[in-house]
Amino acid sequence: MTGILWIILVGFIAGIIARFLSPGPNNPQGFLLTTVLGIVGAFLATAIGQAIGHYGPNQGAGFITATIGAVLVLFIWNRLVARRVLSDPGNR
């Protein structure tokens, strides 16, 4: 349980950092979407790290790899919004 809480905490901070690292018109807006972006990035970084053997089964991603994962998720978000596959709730 503490592993998931750690990933959520790290993911939230990584989401905030990712928004500052890659500003743009299609950034998800608001506290909730920032949190989700970071958490998804942290889970993505953790899953990839565990798949390649960098992390053990009970280890989560650190701040740097979670931030990289969040930037990757933000990039994918921007591409989907730019192609109008998703609508951006912050640009209404």
Side-chain angles (χ1 to χ4, degrees), residues 8-90:
I8 291 171
L9 175 68
V10 169
F12 171 69
I13 295 169
I16 291 172
I17 293 171
R19 281 191 59 192
F20 287 117
L21 289 178
S22 59
N26 295 328
N27 279 344
Q29 302 296 316
F31 176 79
L32 183 62
L33 285 176
T34 298
T35 303
V36 170
L37 163 77
I39 292 169
V40 169
F43 274 107
L44 177 68
T46 299
I48 291 172
Q50 288 176 350
I52 63 173
H54 186 66
Y55 300 122
N58 295 326
Q59 289 181 311
F63 285 109
I64 294 173
T65 52
T67 302
I68 292 169
V71 168
L72 179 64
V73 170
L74 180 61
F75 175 76
I76 293 169
W77 172 276
N78 286 337
R79 294 295 90 213
L80 292 175
V81 169
R83 291 184 180 173
R84 300 195 191 282
V85 174
L86 295 174
S87 63
D88 189 2

